[in-house]
Structures are given as C-alpha cells and as structure tokens.
Amino acid sequence: GNGSLGGRGALIVLEGCDKAGKSTQCRLLVEALKKAGKPCHLYAFPDRTTEIGKVIDEYLRCTKNLSDEAIHLLFSTNRWEVMPKIRELLLNGESVVLDRYAFSGVAFSAAKGTLDLAWCMGPDVGLPQPDLVCFLNLSKEAASKRGDFGRERYEKTEFQDKVKSIFLKIQDPAYWKIIDADRTKEEVQSELFQLSIAAVDTSENKPILKLWD
Ligand code: Z5A
Ligand code: MG
C-alpha cells in the first residue's frame, strides 16, 4: 500500500501517435514516481506476451489477417484480461502507468473507416477510467526526424493523420492533457512528472470511475 493513508493509486495513461515517445516517457515516469516514494507499475497495450497478445502481434506484423471487427475485439480483450490485476494494484495504493489504452483501441480501429465510432467504444465501456491521460502530440516535422516508419501494419502517414483526428475527437477534458512532444525527452518528462504527481495526490480518496459509462 501507500502507507498509513490507505488511499488508492492513480491510473495514468500515455497516449499518442507513432513515435511520439510514449514508451520512453512511460519508463522514465515510473522510475521518477518510484524515486518520489510513489509505488507504481508499468503496463503496455498491446501486451504481446499473452495468448491473445501473440495473435495481435502476428496481426501487426502482417503475418496474420483478421477482420477489422475481430482484431478490434482482441485488442479490447487484451485490456480486460489484465484488468483484475490492475484494479487490485490501484486499490492497494499502487499507481499504474499505461503505455496506450482504450483510446488507441478506438482511434486505430475507427480510422479504418469500416467501423462505427460508437461500436468501437463499446467493448471498452466499463474499464477503469484513467485519472490522467497525457496525449503526446508530435508534429509531422518532428515525427519525420525520428526515423522512418517501421514495417508494422498501421505505420503510414496518411493513416496516422486519421488516427490523430479521432484521438482528438474522443478526448475528455475531465482527465485529458495535450503535451507538446516535439521537445526534448527531459522537457517532456518534467511536465509529465508534475502532472502525474498531482494526479496521484488528488486520486487517493476518489472512487475508480467507469470509462465511457
Ligand atoms: N493499437 C491498436 O490498433 N489498438 C489498440 O487497442 C492498441 C494499439 C492498444 C502497436 O502499438 C500498434 O498497435 C500501434 C497502435 C496499435 N500501431 N501504430 N502505429 P505499440 O505501442 O506496440 O507501438 P510501438 O511501435 O511500440 O510504439 P510507438 O507508438 O511507435 O512509439 P512510442 O512508444 O510512442 O515512441 P518511443 O519508442 O518512446 O520513441 C520512438 C523513437 O523516438 C525512439 O528512437 C526514441 O529514442 C525517440 N524519441 C523519444 N522521445 C524523443 C524526444 N523527445 N526527442 C527525440 N527523440 C525521441
Ligand atoms: Mg511504444
């Protein structure tokens, strides 16, 4: 737990398009929070290590094809399968930092143009609502300096533009912050740390709400 107070931990999510620095910043954030005496854990979605995650990995590497509906539901299931563990940590006073969450799930699937936005949100309704979502906003100019796209399925500029517009459409000001990700790693980290410490402190005595409920 987090000591004598007995409050819950905070659920903090980093979202954003390709190469925005989510994984880099998640790692730095977990280290910094631990150093500040806030116990916390890192989870990444997709979690490619589970049985479902292995199927997702094959889909992303284009070695397996699935219908748009089927892969969407697998991404969501991949979140629900670890939720009991995450909820237990939160209730035990430990914070959880997530590298992508349901917002990626909706943005990437809806960007295909074949699935309705409300249908995309459905399977993730009721997941724990984050206390803080930091959307790492990377300009096209800065993105082009971070190396070429890899060979995974969604790594194409035009598609990433659609993804970004859906992220911005589904943002909820109750917990959503847009972070300028064009800056140095240190500058971005410093802002994320301040926002996260504040979230940890203010979430302690709040109930865990349900996402999109
Ligand atoms: N997806 C989905 O469709 N549905 C879902 O429900 C979910 C995901 C959860 C794989 O995700 C794909 O799954 C993804 C969305 C889809 N497809 N796309 N695009 P992933 O999270 O496994 O993707 P990834 O390839 O690991 O991560 P990423 O998003 O592409 O990158 P990132 O984590 O944001 O960035 P990074 O790895 O921290 O940094 C990228 C590079 O930039 C690296 O060389 C860093 O050293 C460098 N970097 C980082 N920060 C900086 C700064 N500030 N300055 C300069 N350089 C920097
Ligand atoms: Mg990443």
Side-chain angles (χ1 to χ4, degrees):
N2 65 343
S4 57
L5 288 171
R8 73 167 172 90
L11 185 61
I12 298 164
V13 175
L14 268 60
E15 278 286 11
C17 296
D18 208 38
K19 294 184 284 187
K22 298 174 298 297
S23 300
T24 304
Q25 294 296 337
C26 278
R27 283 192 296 272
L28 293 171
L29 183 59
V30 168
E31 273 175 44
L33 287 172
K34 282 183 183 167
K35 254 191 179 166
K38 312 287 184 190
C40 73
H41 302 263
L42 173 60
Y43 286 86
F45 295 117
D47 174 355
R48 303 189 194 214
T49 66
T50 69
E51 290 303 307
I52 289 161
K54 283 172 194 153
V55 179
I56 293 172
D57 181 61
E58 289 178 24
Y59 175 83
L60 287 170
R61 289 188 293 104
C62 298
T63 58
K64 186 183 200 72
N65 278 320
L66 287 165
S67 71
D68 295 341
E69 291 85 352
I71 186 63
H72 181 74
L73 296 172
L74 290 179
F75 271 115
S76 178
T77 306
N78 187 235
R79 285 182 278 281
W80 282 108
E81 64 181 337
V82 293
M83 250 351 107
K85 182 64 198 163
I86 288 177
R87 188 176 282 279
E88 183 192 318
L89 288 168
L90 293 173
L91 294 174
N92 196 37
E94 318 218 1
S95 292
V96 175
V97 173
L98 299 181
D99 185 349
R100 296 191 188 271
Y101 197 39
F103 312 98
S104 277
V106 169
F108 282 84
S109 287
K112 293 174 177 176
T114 54
L115 306 171
D116 178 72
L117 185 66
W119 186 89
C120 290
M121 293 168 89
D124 288 303
V125 169
L127 283 173
Q129 176 178 296
D131 299 293
L132 173 67
V133 176
C134 294
F135 180 78
L136 301 190
N137 193 31
L138 189 68
S139 69
K140 275 183 213 172
E141 297 71 44
S144 68
K145 289 179 193 145
R146 292 195 187 172
D148 291 327
F149 280 122
R151 255 171 289 172
E152 286 205 334
R153 193 176 288 260
Y154 298 137
E155 299 180 346
K156 296 174 189 82
T157 309
E158 196 189 331
F159 187 76
Q160 293 286 332
D161 289 346
K162 283 187 200 151
V163 170
K164 187 167 177 171
S165 73
I166 297 165
F167 269 127
L168 298 177
K169 195 164 161 179
I170 62 174
Q171 64 181 301
D172 184 332
Y175 49 73
W176 196 276
K177 301 276 182 205
I178 296 178
I179 310 294
D180 174 6
D182 288 5
R183 297 171 295 169
T184 67
K185 289 179 190 176
E186 294 73 22
E187 286 170 322
V188 175
Q189 181 56 208
S190 148
E191 185 176 2
L192 293 179
F193 179 70
Q194 283 172 36
L195 289 167
S196 299
I197 282 285
V200 169
D201 290 342
T202 56
S203 304
E204 261 180 9
N205 299 309
K206 289 185 189 160
I208 299 173
L209 300 178
K210 290 183 174 190
L211 184 64
W212 299 328
D213 201 21

